[in-house]
Amino acid sequence: MRQPGLAVRGGGTVQEIAQRTGGFWKPSPGSVYPTLQLLADEGLVRAMDGDGGKCLFELTEDGAAAVEQFGDTAPWDHVTAGVDPTEVSLRGAMGQFSAAVSGVSQAANARQKAKAIEIINEARRQLYAVLGEED
């Protein structure tokens, strides 16, 4: 969104930000839409009707001027500047672990859930042990 007339679909914004930050930042739709509304209220973007009833947003002239004040560095580059790639991997692994626990919670029988609890408790102990290690 660097120039007036450049449209962005509201629904694709979350995925776009996640992709451009290498997965480091994935805002929730609950934060994106109020932000877009605030930008519209401030006259920096305007909502338009898109294909299939989708809402599109484009920069206004004031919005383009505000963007230019930040220079050529993209906002996602500001977010990811100095980020340790291991942090991104850790967050990804944590999300995958959480999804696995959720899947077990929803689909496992009592014996499988008991085994999962043992695994989770052991993983927690091992993680705390990592913090106690010296480099």
Side-chain angles (χ1 to χ4, degrees), residues 23-68:
F24 183 70
W25 181 34
K26 185 177 180 186
S28 69
S31 66
V32 171
Y33 290 105
T35 301
L36 287 169
Q37 184 59 55
L38 176 66
L39 293 170
D41 292 347
E42 293 179 358
L44 300 174
V45 299
R46 73 177 134 258
M48 310 177 319
D49 289 332
D51 295 336
K54 300 258 181 175
C55 187
L56 299 176
F57 293 87
E58 70 177 352
L59 286 175
T60 62
E61 288 185 29
D62 288 345
V67 168
E68 290 304 317

Side-chain angles (χ1 to χ4, degrees), residues 56-98:
L56 299 176
F57 293 87
E58 70 177 352
L59 286 175
T60 62
E61 288 185 29
D62 288 345
V67 168
E68 290 304 317
Q69 291 177 0
F70 290 103
D72 290 333
T73 303
W76 42 89
D77 291 339
H78 285 289
V79 171
T80 58
V83 171
D84 179 355
T86 307
E87 176 66 24
V88 176
S89 296
L90 179 61
R91 288 182 183 205
M94 185 172 54
Q96 292 172 354
F97 184 79
S98 179

Side-chain angles (χ1 to χ4, degrees), residues 97 114-128:
F97 184 79
K115 179 70 175 172
I117 291 168
E118 291 175 20
I119 292 169
I120 292 167
N121 286 333
E122 181 58 26
R124 178 180 40 82
R125 285 189 286 276
Q126 289 182 23
L127 287 169
Y128 280 123

